[in-house]
Amino acid sequence: MDTTASGPDLLKQLPPPLSAEQIVALNQPKADLHTTRDYEWNGWTFEVPPGVFLPGWTSRMIHERLLDGRIEVRGRRYGAMGAGLGVEAVAAGVRGAREIYAIDVHPESVAATARHYERLVGRREGTALIPVVGDVFGGLPEGVQLDVVTFNPPAVSQTVSDDPDIVRNVCVGAPLLAKFFTQINERDLLAPGGEVFVIVSNTADLHTIIQHALDQGFTPEIDHLHDWQDGVLTFLFRLTRGGRA
């Protein structure tokens, strides 16, 4: 596919979801979600409380880009949607983001993020962490605008478990992205020149998700495409309002 395409031209090229059987097989949850675990990345160790998800390889695509500046947050207002364990918030704090809104519907994840940030980043002049508990952007203070938003959503299109914690982290599906893009648009959350980065694979309904973005006035392009050689294609989309910033 043409990875330089954007907007409606990109939409036409997106692959359909894998079969339901493949999606379920590829997303079998681990049995340790309700235990305390450890996660290590970049020389940092994070304690993972029960119910908080361990970041996977797709999340690391965002972590690495935040830390090295490929997704630039230095001096900018950053929204880490689905903050989870808090690795994005820590990376953004080390990079020097002006404000970091760590947003998650799961209170325990937001609390874990705040603890890890305090321990690994601490208080730095010109950088502030704002923990936010809420459904998508529902907990964000009125009037806030963001320069950068990242999201690795639970967009898998098939239900892989009846455990609500697993559903919350894996398979809410395309409707969550519809709410995400709609709220950014209707609440005018993206500052002029702002960027939204979303990771989605063909275990999700890519066409529906990107159509939602187009309907809300976003211009999507492919920032990175990773082929896992098992049928899964993971897209890191960069979205702007009205064209490339």
Side-chain angles (χ1 to χ4, degrees), residues 49-155:
V52 176
F53 251 60
L54 281 166
W57 285 106
T58 54
S59 294
R60 286 181 203 127
M61 291 181 189
I62 291 179
H63 303 164
E64 291 165 0
R65 285 165 172 78
L66 289 170
L67 195 61
D68 66 20
R70 282 176 286 171
I71 298 177
E72 186 56 88
V73 295
R74 191 189 300 276
R76 306 176 85 189
R77 297 161 295 182
Y78 167 54
M81 178 57 66
L85 185 58
V87 183
E88 290 98 329
V90 169
V94 170
R95 182 71 182 173
R98 190 170 100 204
E99 295 172 354
I100 302 159
Y101 293 86
I103 308 164
D104 205 297
V105 71
H106 187 230
E108 290 80 2
S109 292
V110 175
T113 293
R115 288 195 302 272
H116 294 313
Y117 187 93
E118 180 64 28
R119 179 173 56 86
L120 296 170
V121 182
R123 299 192 180 195
R124 297 192 180 200
E125 186 175 352
T127 297
L129 176 73
I130 302 97
V132 179
V133 177
D135 183 13
V136 195
F137 294 101
L140 208 63
E142 288 297 325
V144 168
Q145 283 198 313
L146 302 169
D147 301 299
V148 184
V149 180
T150 65
F151 194 16
N152 184 9

Side-chain angles (χ1 to χ4, degrees), residues 2 6 39 138 233:
D2 178 7
S6 63
Y39 175 74
L233 299 172

Side-chain angles (χ1 to χ4, degrees), residues 30-243:
K30 293 183 179 178
D32 61 357
L33 174 60
H34 299 290
T35 67
T36 298
R37 295 139 291 148
D38 285 328
Y39 175 74
E40 293 190 7
W41 180 73
N42 194 50
W44 299 320
T45 299
F46 299 78
E47 183 181 272
V48 189
V52 176
F53 251 60
L54 281 166
W57 285 106
T58 54
S59 294
R60 286 181 203 127
M61 291 181 189
I62 291 179
H63 303 164
E64 291 165 0
R65 285 165 172 78
L66 289 170
L67 195 61
D68 66 20
R70 282 176 286 171
I71 298 177
E72 186 56 88
V73 295
R74 191 189 300 276
R76 306 176 85 189
R77 297 161 295 182
Y78 167 54
M81 178 57 66
L85 185 58
V87 183
E88 290 98 329
V90 169
V94 170
R95 182 71 182 173
R98 190 170 100 204
E99 295 172 354
I100 302 159
Y101 293 86
I103 308 164
D104 205 297
V105 71
H106 187 230
E108 290 80 2
S109 292
V110 175
T113 293
R115 288 195 302 272
H116 294 313
Y117 187 93
E118 180 64 28
R119 179 173 56 86
L120 296 170
V121 182
R123 299 192 180 195
R124 297 192 180 200
E125 186 175 352
T127 297
L129 176 73
I130 302 97
V132 179
V133 177
D135 183 13
V136 195
F137 294 101
L140 208 63
E142 288 297 325
V144 168
Q145 283 198 313
L146 302 169
D147 301 299
V148 184
V149 180
T150 65
F151 194 16
N152 184 9
V156 170
S157 60
Q158 300 294 321
T159 301
V160 300
S161 173
D162 58 5
D163 183 326
D165 281 326
I166 293 171
V167 172
R168 170 176 55 82
N169 281 278
V170 178
C171 51
V172 179
L176 176 61
L177 276 300
K179 186 184 295 187
F180 173 79
F181 292 125
T182 298
Q183 288 188 10
I184 294 176
N185 181 27
E186 293 183 348
R187 293 184 56 172
D188 194 25
L189 292 173
L190 198 62
E195 307 170 281
V196 178
F197 292 89
V198 175
I199 286 189
V200 200
S201 79
N202 57 342
T203 64
D205 188 344
L206 288 166
H207 191 277
T208 296
I209 289 167
I210 295 304
Q211 184 65 65
H212 284 317
L214 289 166
D215 290 345
Q216 294 299 323
F218 289 90
T219 299
E221 61 185 46
I222 299 172
D223 189 80
H224 180 69
L225 172 58
H226 189 88
D227 185 345
W228 299 96
Q229 303 298 317
D230 59 0
V232 177
L233 299 172
T234 296
F235 295 79
L236 173 59
F237 293 107
R238 177 183 182 268
L239 304 106
T240 55
R241 297 301 303 276

